[in-house]
Amino acid sequence: MSFVYIVKKDLNFNLEQAAKLVEEKTSLKLNKLKEKTLTTHKGALYTTDNDNAHELCKKAVLAKSFDFDVWASKSFPTASKKGEICLDMDMTSVQIEGIDEIARRLNVYDKVAEITSKAMHGGLDFAQSLTLRVSMLKDGDASVIEDVKTIMHETDGLDTLMATVTKHGWVKGICSGGFEQLICVLDKKYNLDMVCANSLEIKDGKLTGKVDKRIVDATVKREGVFELGAKHNIDKSQVIVLGDGANDLKMIEVAALGIAYHAKPLVQETAPFCINYSDLTAVALLLELNS
């Protein structure tokens, strides 16, 4: 038996029609367990006897057969047990690329943003690209970081997701190739249990063009997921990870529910699950349905 989750950011979403379309495109027979709305989202959880439901649904998703999000799995994390959620920062938790916005204020945006895009699409080694991008910030006034904070808009649904997992006693972390100097805003607001990220070196109020800790690349991000789970004795079946870039794939693949969030093509193809028609509320809604 498998479970199928159908969700969309649309309170007028017709679940019956959606379920019929999933059945048509995957040859699955769906049996509804329950449906629920949460803020701006409507979703439902179904069962099916087909053990290959995940493969069939993922194939249909990649073929763009639906205008809603569909996930299938033999089991989903449940809100009735303690769990762990780890998110990437840039373009997952907030809707900016932090280093690009710092670069914009230091008049090196075009060069930095081009490298950021290549790295996030998997075309460049992340550690090498980060070293190069940070070097371009050398001698810049560190006060621009405060400016970036003012335009750092949270991704829709982050507040709902954080409130939901906190209510159910989950641990929360951000594993990011971004910078602690920006993530501290979310850390303070949501009382995160872990921040695994890079840190810009600052001396005499100026950026030195270096990071002052080891570079947090894809491997280190995955280690962060493991370390948070081990510290709080979280069962592997209760780990959720979300990210949008190629450097998120290693941590996505070790999660029970690894999600590509409005992600680059490579990430959508590789990650087990995708969010394309919902926001972060979709994860909170699944936990509420599966509690």
Side-chain angles (χ1 to χ4, degrees), residues 43-69:
L45 193 61
Y46 304 80
T47 59
T48 180
D49 291 334
N50 195 318
D51 288 339
N52 295 319
H54 171 73
E55 290 78 8
L56 294 168
C57 287
K58 182 64 189 293
K59 182 179 179 180
V61 166
L62 291 178
K64 302 187 185 304
S65 299
F66 314 122
D67 65 350
F68 48 88
D69 292 312

mmCIF file of all heavy atoms in Angstrom, residues 43-69:
data_model
loop_
_atom_site.group_PDB
_atom_site.id
_atom_site.type_symbol
_atom_site.label_atom_id
_atom_site.label_comp_id
_atom_site.label_asym_id
_atom_site.label_seq_id
_atom_site.Cartn_x
_atom_site.Cartn_y
_atom_site.Cartn_z
ATOM 1 N N GLY A 43 -6.001 20.346 0.462
ATOM 2 C CA GLY A 43 -5.333 19.099 0.111
ATOM 3 C C GLY A 43 -6.046 17.898 0.685
ATOM 4 O O GLY A 43 -6.952 18.025 1.510
ATOM 5 N N ALA A 44 -5.633 16.735 0.232
ATOM 6 C CA ALA A 44 -6.219 15.494 0.708
ATOM 7 C C ALA A 44 -5.179 14.384 0.675
ATOM 8 O O ALA A 44 -4.239 14.401 -0.134
ATOM 9 C CB ALA A 44 -7.433 15.098 -0.130
ATOM 10 N N LEU A 45 -5.383 13.405 1.547
ATOM 11 C CA LEU A 45 -4.515 12.239 1.632
ATOM 12 C C LEU A 45 -5.315 11.019 1.213
ATOM 13 O O LEU A 45 -6.462 10.835 1.643
ATOM 14 C CB LEU A 45 -4.008 12.074 3.072
ATOM 15 C CG LEU A 45 -2.854 11.105 3.314
ATOM 16 C CD1 LEU A 45 -1.610 11.534 2.544
ATOM 17 C CD2 LEU A 45 -2.545 11.028 4.809
ATOM 18 N N TYR A 46 -4.714 10.205 0.360
ATOM 19 C CA TYR A 46 -5.369 9.023 -0.192
ATOM 20 C C TYR A 46 -4.497 7.787 0.052
ATOM 21 O O TYR A 46 -3.297 7.894 0.297
ATOM 22 C CB TYR A 46 -5.568 9.164 -1.709
ATOM 23 C CG TYR A 46 -6.330 10.384 -2.140
ATOM 24 C CD1 TYR A 46 -5.697 11.622 -2.227
ATOM 25 C CD2 TYR A 46 -7.675 10.306 -2.489
ATOM 26 C CE1 TYR A 46 -6.382 12.751 -2.639
ATOM 27 C CE2 TYR A 46 -8.376 11.431 -2.909
ATOM 28 C CZ TYR A 46 -7.719 12.652 -2.973
ATOM 29 O OH TYR A 46 -8.409 13.773 -3.376
ATOM 30 N N THR A 47 -5.109 6.627 -0.074
ATOM 31 C CA THR A 47 -4.355 5.379 -0.115
ATOM 32 C C THR A 47 -4.543 4.740 -1.487
ATOM 33 O O THR A 47 -5.506 5.025 -2.200
ATOM 34 C CB THR A 47 -4.833 4.380 0.956
ATOM 35 O OG1 THR A 47 -6.219 4.088 0.742
ATOM 36 C CG2 THR A 47 -4.620 4.928 2.350
ATOM 37 N N THR A 48 -3.594 3.896 -1.845
ATOM 38 C CA THR A 48 -3.693 3.117 -3.076
ATOM 39 C C THR A 48 -2.970 1.797 -2.841
ATOM 40 O O THR A 48 -2.009 1.729 -2.072
ATOM 41 C CB THR A 48 -3.077 3.853 -4.279
ATOM 42 O OG1 THR A 48 -3.202 3.036 -5.442
ATOM 43 C CG2 THR A 48 -1.614 4.181 -4.051
ATOM 44 N N ASP A 49 -3.433 0.750 -3.493
ATOM 45 C CA ASP A 49 -2.835 -0.572 -3.303
ATOM 46 C C ASP A 49 -1.542 -0.763 -4.091
ATOM 47 O O ASP A 49 -0.827 -1.737 -3.879
ATOM 48 C CB ASP A 49 -3.835 -1.659 -3.720
ATOM 49 C CG ASP A 49 -5.021 -1.749 -2.768
ATOM 50 O OD1 ASP A 49 -4.857 -1.368 -1.599
ATOM 51 O OD2 ASP A 49 -6.105 -2.187 -3.204
ATOM 52 N N ASN A 50 -1.227 0.141 -4.979
ATOM 53 C CA ASN A 50 -0.060 -0.006 -5.854
ATOM 54 C C ASN A 50 1.222 0.401 -5.131
ATOM 55 O O ASN A 50 1.372 1.548 -4.704
ATOM 56 C CB ASN A 50 -0.245 0.845 -7.113
ATOM 57 C CG ASN A 50 0.717 0.472 -8.209
ATOM 58 O OD1 ASN A 50 1.893 0.226 -7.955
ATOM 59 N ND2 ASN A 50 0.225 0.433 -9.445
ATOM 60 N N ASP A 51 2.167 -0.520 -5.015
ATOM 61 C CA ASP A 51 3.432 -0.234 -4.347
ATOM 62 C C ASP A 51 4.349 0.652 -5.185
ATOM 63 O O ASP A 51 5.358 1.157 -4.674
ATOM 64 C CB ASP A 51 4.164 -1.532 -4.006
ATOM 65 C CG ASP A 51 3.504 -2.296 -2.865
ATOM 66 O OD1 ASP A 51 2.761 -1.652 -2.089
ATOM 67 O OD2 ASP A 51 3.735 -3.513 -2.753
ATOM 68 N N ASN A 52 4.038 0.832 -6.466
ATOM 69 C CA ASN A 52 4.859 1.660 -7.343
ATOM 70 C C ASN A 52 4.273 3.062 -7.520
ATOM 71 O O ASN A 52 4.612 3.761 -8.479
ATOM 72 C CB ASN A 52 5.007 0.996 -8.718
ATOM 73 C CG ASN A 52 5.761 -0.312 -8.656
ATOM 74 O OD1 ASN A 52 6.750 -0.426 -7.940
ATOM 75 N ND2 ASN A 52 5.297 -1.303 -9.398
ATOM 76 N N ALA A 53 3.441 3.454 -6.606
ATOM 77 C CA ALA A 53 2.759 4.741 -6.733
ATOM 78 C C ALA A 53 3.741 5.901 -6.836
ATOM 79 O O ALA A 53 3.522 6.848 -7.599
ATOM 80 C CB ALA A 53 1.812 4.948 -5.558
ATOM 81 N N HIS A 54 4.821 5.832 -6.065
ATOM 82 C CA HIS A 54 5.786 6.938 -6.094
ATOM 83 C C HIS A 54 6.362 7.127 -7.492
ATOM 84 O O HIS A 54 6.395 8.250 -8.031
ATOM 85 C CB HIS A 54 6.918 6.712 -5.101
ATOM 86 C CG HIS A 54 8.032 7.710 -5.251
ATOM 87 N ND1 HIS A 54 7.897 9.023 -4.858
ATOM 88 C CD2 HIS A 54 9.274 7.603 -5.787
ATOM 89 C CE1 HIS A 54 9.016 9.678 -5.136
ATOM 90 N NE2 HIS A 54 9.853 8.836 -5.706
ATOM 91 N N GLU A 55 6.819 6.057 -8.092
ATOM 92 C CA GLU A 55 7.422 6.140 -9.424
ATOM 93 C C GLU A 55 6.409 6.646 -10.457
ATOM 94 O O GLU A 55 6.740 7.480 -11.309
ATOM 95 C CB GLU A 55 7.964 4.775 -9.841
ATOM 96 C CG GLU A 55 9.185 4.302 -9.068
ATOM 97 C CD GLU A 55 8.859 3.760 -7.686
ATOM 98 O OE1 GLU A 55 7.652 3.598 -7.372
ATOM 99 O OE2 GLU A 55 9.799 3.511 -6.919
ATOM 100 N N LEU A 56 5.184 6.160 -10.368
ATOM 101 C CA LEU A 56 4.161 6.556 -11.328
ATOM 102 C C LEU A 56 3.791 8.031 -11.177
ATOM 103 O O LEU A 56 3.637 8.751 -12.177
ATOM 104 C CB LEU A 56 2.919 5.683 -11.148
ATOM 105 C CG LEU A 56 3.102 4.193 -11.478
ATOM 106 C CD1 LEU A 56 1.891 3.387 -10.990
ATOM 107 C CD2 LEU A 56 3.296 4.008 -12.982
ATOM 108 N N CYS A 57 3.674 8.486 -9.945
ATOM 109 C CA CYS A 57 3.320 9.892 -9.719
ATOM 110 C C CYS A 57 4.470 10.826 -10.094
ATOM 111 O O CYS A 57 4.248 11.880 -10.704
ATOM 112 C CB CYS A 57 2.919 10.112 -8.260
ATOM 113 S SG CYS A 57 1.292 9.434 -7.833
ATOM 114 N N LYS A 58 5.692 10.437 -9.760
ATOM 115 C CA LYS A 58 6.841 11.290 -10.084
ATOM 116 C C LYS A 58 6.989 11.429 -11.602
ATOM 117 O O LYS A 58 7.259 12.523 -12.120
ATOM 118 C CB LYS A 58 8.122 10.709 -9.483
ATOM 119 C CG LYS A 58 9.378 11.560 -9.730
ATOM 120 C CD LYS A 58 9.278 12.910 -9.047
ATOM 121 C CE LYS A 58 10.416 13.859 -9.457
ATOM 122 N NZ LYS A 58 11.729 13.423 -8.995
ATOM 123 N N LYS A 59 6.780 10.356 -12.322
ATOM 124 C CA LYS A 59 6.853 10.402 -13.781
ATOM 125 C C LYS A 59 5.815 11.366 -14.344
ATOM 126 O O LYS A 59 6.110 12.175 -15.239
ATOM 127 C CB LYS A 59 6.650 9.003 -14.369
ATOM 128 C CG LYS A 59 6.755 8.945 -15.878
ATOM 129 C CD LYS A 59 6.571 7.509 -16.383
ATOM 130 C CE LYS A 59 6.662 7.448 -17.908
ATOM 131 N NZ LYS A 59 6.482 6.048 -18.402
ATOM 132 N N ALA A 60 4.606 11.317 -13.804
ATOM 133 C CA ALA A 60 3.541 12.205 -14.272
ATOM 134 C C ALA A 60 3.833 13.657 -13.904
ATOM 135 O O ALA A 60 3.539 14.580 -14.677
ATOM 136 C CB ALA A 60 2.202 11.761 -13.685
ATOM 137 N N VAL A 61 4.406 13.871 -12.731
ATOM 138 C CA VAL A 61 4.766 15.228 -12.302
ATOM 139 C C VAL A 61 5.813 15.815 -13.249
ATOM 140 O O VAL A 61 5.707 16.964 -13.694
ATOM 141 C CB VAL A 61 5.265 15.224 -10.846
ATOM 142 C CG1 VAL A 61 5.949 16.546 -10.504
ATOM 143 C CG2 VAL A 61 4.114 14.974 -9.883
ATOM 144 N N LEU A 62 6.850 15.045 -13.557
ATOM 145 C CA LEU A 62 7.905 15.529 -14.445
ATOM 146 C C LEU A 62 7.378 15.767 -15.861
ATOM 147 O O LEU A 62 7.905 16.607 -16.591
ATOM 148 C CB LEU A 62 9.078 14.556 -14.471
ATOM 149 C CG LEU A 62 9.896 14.470 -13.180
ATOM 150 C CD1 LEU A 62 10.999 13.431 -13.314
ATOM 151 C CD2 LEU A 62 10.491 15.834 -12.827
ATOM 152 N N ALA A 63 6.346 15.031 -16.231
ATOM 153 C CA ALA A 63 5.718 15.235 -17.543
ATOM 154 C C ALA A 63 4.756 16.423 -17.541
ATOM 155 O O ALA A 63 4.127 16.713 -18.572
ATOM 156 C CB ALA A 63 4.974 13.974 -17.956
ATOM 157 N N LYS A 64 4.643 17.088 -16.389
ATOM 158 C CA LYS A 64 3.754 18.252 -16.220
ATOM 159 C C LYS A 64 2.304 17.900 -16.540
ATOM 160 O O LYS A 64 1.586 18.658 -17.210
ATOM 161 C CB LYS A 64 4.241 19.422 -17.070
ATOM 162 C CG LYS A 64 5.667 19.853 -16.735
ATOM 163 C CD LYS A 64 6.070 21.113 -17.470
ATOM 164 C CE LYS A 64 7.522 21.477 -17.228
ATOM 165 N NZ LYS A 64 7.868 21.639 -15.809
ATOM 166 N N SER A 65 1.884 16.747 -16.033
ATOM 167 C CA SER A 65 0.518 16.280 -16.266
ATOM 168 C C SER A 65 -0.508 16.968 -15.377
ATOM 169 O O SER A 65 -1.712 16.853 -15.623
ATOM 170 C CB SER A 65 0.448 14.767 -16.021
ATOM 171 O OG SER A 65 1.292 14.063 -16.898
ATOM 172 N N PHE A 66 -0.050 17.672 -14.329
ATOM 173 C CA PHE A 66 -0.964 18.257 -13.352
ATOM 174 C C PHE A 66 -0.670 19.742 -13.155
ATOM 175 O O PHE A 66 0.474 20.185 -13.309
ATOM 176 C CB PHE A 66 -0.832 17.555 -11.994
ATOM 177 C CG PHE A 66 -0.811 16.050 -12.077
ATOM 178 C CD1 PHE A 66 0.267 15.327 -11.574
ATOM 179 C CD2 PHE A 66 -1.859 15.355 -12.659
ATOM 180 C CE1 PHE A 66 0.295 13.940 -11.638
ATOM 181 C CE2 PHE A 66 -1.843 13.971 -12.730
ATOM 182 C CZ PHE A 66 -0.762 13.261 -12.225
ATOM 183 N N ASP A 67 -1.688 20.494 -12.748
ATOM 184 C CA ASP A 67 -1.474 21.878 -12.324
ATOM 185 C C ASP A 67 -1.665 21.984 -10.812
ATOM 186 O O ASP A 67 -2.156 22.982 -10.287
ATOM 187 C CB ASP A 67 -2.405 22.839 -13.073
ATOM 188 C CG ASP A 67 -3.875 22.624 -12.748
ATOM 189 O OD1 ASP A 67 -4.204 21.611 -12.093
ATOM 190 O OD2 ASP A 67 -4.700 23.474 -13.140
ATOM 191 N N PHE A 68 -1.260 20.947 -10.122
ATOM 192 C CA PHE A 68 -1.290 20.867 -8.665
ATOM 193 C C PHE A 68 -0.153 19.946 -8.246
ATOM 194 O O PHE A 68 0.452 19.276 -9.085
ATOM 195 C CB PHE A 68 -2.644 20.346 -8.151
ATOM 196 C CG PHE A 68 -3.135 19.112 -8.873
ATOM 197 C CD1 PHE A 68 -2.775 17.845 -8.445
ATOM 198 C CD2 PHE A 68 -3.971 19.228 -9.983
ATOM 199 C CE1 PHE A 68 -3.226 16.704 -9.100
ATOM 200 C CE2 PHE A 68 -4.438 18.092 -10.649
ATOM 201 C CZ PHE A 68 -4.063 16.831 -10.211
ATOM 202 N N ASP A 69 0.144 19.904 -6.972
ATOM 203 C CA ASP A 69 1.249 19.078 -6.481
ATOM 204 C C ASP A 69 0.752 17.710 -6.042
ATOM 205 O O ASP A 69 -0.290 17.594 -5.386
ATOM 206 C CB ASP A 69 1.954 19.778 -5.316
ATOM 207 C CG ASP A 69 2.693 21.030 -5.784
ATOM 208 O OD1 ASP A 69 3.413 20.936 -6.791
ATOM 209 O OD2 ASP A 69 2.542 22.094 -5.149
#
